[in-house]
Amino acid sequence: MTVYSLVHLRLVWCCWTLPRWQMNGHKRPLAVWTSATAQWTLKQKKPAELYRIPVSRPPILSGTSLLGKGALSTTSISPKEVMLTSERYGVQRLPFSHVSDSDLTFFEHLIPGRVITDPDELRPFNVDWLQSVRGCSKMLLRPRTAAEVSEILRYCNKRKLAVNPQGGNTGLVGGSVPVFDEIIISTALMNQVISFNSVSGILVCQAGCILENLNQYLEELDFIMPLDLGAKGSCHIGGNVATNAGGLRLLRYGSLRGTVLGLEVVLADGSILNCLASLRKDNTGYDLKQLFIGSEGTLGIITAVSILCPRKPKSVNLVFLGSPFYILIETSGSNSAHDEEKLNNFLEHVMASGLVTDGTVATEDKKIKMLWSLRERITEALTHDGCVYKYDLSLPVERLYDLVIDTRARLGKTAKNVVGYGHLGDGNLHLNITAESYSHSLLNAIEPFVYEWTAQYNGSISAEHGLGFKKKHYIQYSKPQEAVLLMQQVKAMLDPKGILNPYKTLPASS
Amino acid sequence: MTVYSLVHLRLVWCCWTLPRWQMNGHKRPLAVWTSATAQWTLKQKKPAELYRIPVSRPPILSGTSLLGKGALSTTSISPKEVMLTSERYGVQRLPFSHVSDSDLTFFEHLIPGRVITDPDELRPFNVDWLQSVRGCSKMLLRPRTAAEVSEILRYCNKRKLAVNPQGGNTGLVGGSVPVFDEIIISTALMNQVISFNSVSGILVCQAGCILENLNQYLEELDFIMPLDLGAKGSCHIGGNVATNAGGLRLLRYGSLRGTVLGLEVVLADGSILNCLASLRKDNTGYDLKQLFIGSEGTLGIITAVSILCPRKPKSVNLVFLGSPFYILIETSGSNSAHDEEKLNNFLEHVMASGLVTDGTVATEDKKIKMLWSLRERITEALTHDGCVYKYDLSLPVERLYDLVIDTRARLGKTAKNVVGYGHLGDGNLHLNITAESYSHSLLNAIEPFVYEWTAQYNGSISAEHGLGFKKKHYIQYSKPQEAVLLMQQVKAMLDPKGILNPYKTLPASS
């Protein structure tokens, strides 16, 4: 463990144009501040539970037209009030078949008792976590095995029925819910651990395992998952892989492109692609699994995952530091005395140099969790600030915060807050702009400004959230035309009828 | 740094059924043994130099027919004596065009002075490092830029001229030399560093940079390359990426699938795919660069690479331990006192438990290099033992050595030595079988036995060497038919005329 090398650190940079107390000029010592803010955090809720929160805010989006504008998220709206995606964005339904009675009969025979058609039960699966997009699917299927998914897709492909693969439905770009009446294929019942090898640390499990459950399972065996994110209590590992989730451990353990060793995927025509290898090295042909990592369910449905898991660290330290920014630095190692010595050297260095003016160190689990929750729940906290315009950008580290400053200057008083936080070590900025209510002119002031700014510095307009439904039209800011064309060819090759998660990730071929 | 966690270690397991002194029963203390064997190592030679070594051994392969048998390597043969691949393997030339005078005129106009047609100059580029395969290319092109590669491929694709992309020509599976008269496109003059960012550690360079040169360049800036291998003095980074090279740092810094952040690739039709991003996170569409990593030049020619480089470790320790096996363990960290304390704890533990009976620790650079050279030069050393049958396998760690024992039992006295070494932490076994001379019956005793054994334990028949020419027919031992079919579709999509490195990696579509 070293605190100097970014490669060894899980390091998250948090700067939020700060809540009440700072905006009111209450400059308190950091330790006091952190304990004061602990009350402000809410319990993490699964999506289904969120819909039961009573809300008083009126719908703020009815009547607006946002064709081609994807960044808006609306919150504190009950699901009934979320405008249909098709209406809000003026999307045309593609000529897929409609679900018929004979289709229902087929699926009920195939997976009896696991076909949901009740509108009330379907509701939470049609709306995203941010309550910003809504589909009108009339059927949700809950297969338990890859063989069942295979039968489902073979049938859907033949019938030209569109499908929407869905994990924990925690995505932020509208990729995880239907746009129209796509059949939702939930991975929720594919939730079994298949094997774990405590010599190699390789876990093989079904796609519907919840990330937090896997982590708990592993912790008992002295291992941890190589990824961690705020949605861990709900998100499925299959969805994590399908969206190439980043999160809080990326800096320490690398991306899923390195840690995912194998996948089982069902293709659009129902064929099962078994690349569920549990090997660190395998150079036999092209690495097909990489096509599916980050493809957001548009190329196949991931049904099982083989993933390399690190040992549970014996010693963990968390530092929360403040100067112009707040920063969380977590170290993990095998010897607490060594780690503390290194950390103290680092802290002495940054305090002496004036880089850091204040801070607190946590070693006990409870305090570590509390400090992390401050960071992990910013997304949720922002929803209480009104209407949120969300951006997830990769930028050269040295440019990371300039965009916040430039955006703030550009928007002036038309925005309530311009908030920048994210992952310093990864060069990942979460730019959030809040306003009392939605305004078309504000959106026009933000877009394409933010995308152009990002493209100017060769950044990515989606660092870790993906493109989903909301950002597919902005891909050209980060990828050249040749790349987009090639992606469209890949899509056409793997899913010629386009039944898999349509209207997502890529703009339509011209 | 922790010596207990495999994830943190660069750990190589070496067991060779030992050279002379041990076979003669000279059981010496390890320290003596290592210094004694230091004389035995040879200076690393670049492929071109190797051909100048005078050899006395007569050709051992003339007249044999090995259709579909790919593991044989012959050594100590001068290039003139290496049998043509087409003859030895009975391969049929595909109906590509032949290079004409007007082609020569075109290329000499495009890259004046960088078109090689002299047979003597061409010779080393037609033969692989192991001197086991030989093509008969009549033209080698040395472009300096992606634009030049683009012009070359556009022309070749139109003319249906087959090409063989070549880096340092250090591959072990016959992937880097022509099979017939393919035009060799060398990356040797594309050897410029484009940029290095000392905040992020991201290096962008042309494909023809030699790995060791890059590492030296980075060391001066307090960084290192995330990969290291025995061929570092000759191999090109573009070739490393094209073959998804593993090597000695994989356990510590992960595979190229995680560390390569971007690629510039010229496709078969000459279009330039610029995915040369320098971002840790980028979720804008499918990760196309992964298709080219490990595709062995069959999908495009990599012209530039963006790669994440770790900080140069402040403290490095190397331990060489012996019990039933010899093992090298390298630790790297930021604090030598901490690292030594951890290492001593580990050594006390393994000595007390009886796992290890003898060993030596090295901290100074010279001794570290000397110990590593023992490992790195086994490949070369084996060539002095006669005819070598080479296999590069991934296996579950707990099964790694069983194959050596089983093979030894199976072959009995028909083999001179059955040697197993490799990378314990990666589960990568290099199985080498030596004999005085080539024998068809010995090969039949080895194959398909070794592949079937590997497949039985869900291993990979090529861990890090790739499939190249020699192993393409064995892909089905590690990949299901659906995967091979999909790979063939990918190949057909990206290179419809099949001009890129033909006869390699994939079996022909049926």
Side-chain angles (χ1 to χ4, degrees), chain B residues 10 139 197 199 287 292 393 398 454-455:
Chain B
R10 157 175 147 181
M139 183 185 282
N197 183 319
V199 175
D287 191 4
F292 303 96
L393 313 157
E398 59 275 23
T454 303

Side-chain angles (χ1 to χ4, degrees), chain B residues 274-310:
Chain B
N274 185 346
C275 293
L276 205 53
S278 294
L279 302 165
R280 296 289 298 268
K281 288 175 170 176
D282 178 20
N283 275 354
T284 51
Y286 314 147
D287 191 4
L288 296 176
K289 72 170 183 286
Q290 298 286 348
L291 279 178
F292 303 96
I293 301 175
S295 67
E296 306 184 87
T298 63
L299 298 180
I301 299 185
I302 295 169
T303 49
V305 174
S306 167
I307 189 164
L308 182 67
C309 302

Side-chain angles (χ1 to χ4, degrees), chain B residues 337-354:
Chain B
H338 290 176
D339 294 1
E340 277 160 33
E341 188 184 325
K342 286 186 182 110
L343 196 53
N344 287 337
N345 288 344
F346 168 75
L347 292 175
E348 274 171 31
H349 173 75
V350 291
M351 298 292 271
S353 68

Side-chain angles (χ1 to χ4, degrees), chain A residues 1 281-283 394 460 462, chain B residues 1 281-283 394 460 462:
Chain A
M1 191 226 65
K281 287 176 171 175
D282 179 21
N283 276 354
S394 263
S460 168
S462 180
Chain B
M1 190 226 67
K281 288 175 170 176
D282 178 20
N283 275 354
S394 263
S460 167
S462 180

Side-chain angles (χ1 to χ4, degrees), chain A residues 149 153 157 163-165 175 241-243 257 263-273 287-303 483-506, chain B residues 285-288 290-291 486 489-490 493:
Chain A
V149 175
L153 284 188
N157 196 49
V163 302
N164 165 238
V241 174
T243 57
R257 302 211 169 271
L263 292 180
E264 179 189 67
V265 183
V266 181
L267 303 182
D269 66 1
S271 58
I272 300 177
L273 188 69
D287 192 4
L288 296 175
K289 71 170 185 286
Q290 297 286 350
L291 279 177
F292 303 96
I293 300 175
S295 68
E296 306 184 88
T298 63
L299 298 180
I301 299 185
I302 294 168
T303 50
V484 177
L485 279 171
L486 192 47
M487 290 181 204
Q488 287 168 334
Q489 283 180 275
V490 170
K491 168 73 177 175
M493 185 181 80
L494 279 161
D495 181 18
K497 294 185 182 178
I499 63 163
L500 288 170
N501 223 9
Y503 323 102
K504 314 277 173 68
T505 308
L506 297 180
Chain B
Y286 314 147
D287 191 4
L288 296 176
Q290 298 286 348
L291 279 178
L486 191 48
Q489 283 180 274
V490 170
M493 184 181 82

